[in-house]
Amino acid sequence: MIYCVEDDDSIRSLELYALSSAGFEVQGFAGGDDFLRALETGRPELVILDVMLPGQSGVELLRQLRTSSDIPVIMATAKGTEFDKIQSLDLGADDYLVKPFGMMEMVSRVKAVLRRYRPQREEQVLRRKGLVMDLAERTVTAEGERVTLTYKEFELLRLFLSAPGVALTRERLLSCVWGTEYVGETRTVDMHVKNLRQKLGPCGGMIETVRNVGYRLEGKP
């Protein structure tokens, strides 16, 4: 899946058509708010992100994205705005397109970035009893049923599955999932763990509360 964030309807339509014709699954967004909401429940293989967007700029969205994700990003910049290109690359963009660009060039650059990126991604599957988490596909199943998780719920479960039997403090969970600069109460963790348990159904019982500490995933194989 490739996300195209572009406020110009005609350009966005061309991008989606060209990419889908090349065999990619695509989804378009006119602005940053819809794009960020989509990231809560899904992870694209790549993002084409326009610099000039209403509200938050593409550069600001890239900065947010890089605090929690390594999704490859191609920035679309206006002709002659060298500062935008340099700033985007410094913030972690993988490539850039200069407007106006041809659709064949865009598809070629998308393929090139994906070729560079895919070998670095390990195909990893974490399993615990009835739980299966595919890190590459960002999917979770519980007793064979697909479970839809938000980004933070997924990351919490990833931490639990990566360290079964280990007590993880609320502070550590906050730092790993919300970031070291997060300012808030540890009740945020409790709320997300509660929602995670509910979504996992019977498998949610494997997430145990460690009194006065935090949580751990049941250690028995």
Side-chain angles (χ1 to χ4, degrees), residues 126-132 161 164-165 203 206 217-221:
L126 302 178
R127 303 176 188 272
R128 200 71 180 173
K129 295 187 177 179
L131 281 176
V132 179
L161 286 170
C203 291
M206 286 193 286
L217 190 72
E218 182 180 315
K220 296 178 181 179

Side-chain angles (χ1 to χ4, degrees), residues 6-18 30 99 101 103:
E6 167 63 63
D7 63 315
D8 187 303
D9 293 341
S10 60
I11 295 176
R12 188 173 66 255
S13 295
L14 284 172
E15 290 176 349
L16 297 177
Y17 176 77
K99 292 183 176 181
F101 52 83
M103 293 299 108

Side-chain angles (χ1 to χ4, degrees), residues 128-129 160 163-170 173 190 193 196-197 200 203-220:
R128 200 71 180 173
K129 295 187 177 179
F160 290 136
V166 177
L168 302 173
T169 65
R170 290 176 175 84
L173 294 171
D190 298 332
V193 170
L196 178 59
R197 282 170 166 164
L200 295 177
C203 291
M206 286 193 286
I207 302 175
E208 303 171 339
T209 300
V210 182
R211 188 174 180 182
N212 297 325
V213 177
Y215 300 93
R216 68 170 168 237
L217 190 72
E218 182 180 315
K220 296 178 181 179

Side-chain angles (χ1 to χ4, degrees), residues 140-156:
V140 173
T141 58
E143 302 294 351
E145 296 293 325
R146 178 70 68 87
V147 180
T148 301
L149 302 179
T150 66
Y151 175 83
K152 288 182 172 58
E153 290 166 352
F154 186 95
E155 290 302 308
L156 281 172

Side-chain angles (χ1 to χ4, degrees), residues 91-192:
L91 287 171
D94 296 88
D95 201 351
Y96 62 86
L97 290 160
V98 178
K99 292 183 176 181
F101 52 83
M103 293 299 108
M104 290 181 65
E105 178 190 3
M106 178 193 68
V107 172
S108 178
R109 286 181 178 270
V110 166
K111 290 179 178 179
V113 170
L114 290 176
R115 279 196 301 271
R116 294 199 305 266
Y117 188 79
R118 281 171 174 160
Q120 300 173 9
R121 179 180 294 172
E122 296 182 1
E123 294 289 338
Q124 262 188 306
V125 177
L126 302 178
R127 303 176 188 272
R128 200 71 180 173
K129 295 187 177 179
L131 281 176
V132 179
M133 170 179 278
D134 189 312
L135 296 177
E137 296 184 359
R138 300 283 296 188
T139 58
V140 173
T141 58
E143 302 294 351
E145 296 293 325
R146 178 70 68 87
V147 180
T148 301
L149 302 179
T150 66
Y151 175 83
K152 288 182 172 58
E153 290 166 352
F154 186 95
E155 290 302 308
L156 281 172
L157 183 58
R158 180 182 64 80
L159 289 173
F160 290 136
L161 286 170
S162 298
V166 177
L168 302 173
T169 65
R170 290 176 175 84
E171 290 74 19
R172 180 179 174 186
L173 294 171
L174 272 174
S175 176
C176 291
V177 177
W178 279 262
T180 55
E181 297 180 358
Y182 176 80
V183 178
E185 299 180 355
T186 55
R187 285 183 299 179
T188 300
V189 173
D190 298 332
M191 179 188 70
H192 279 77

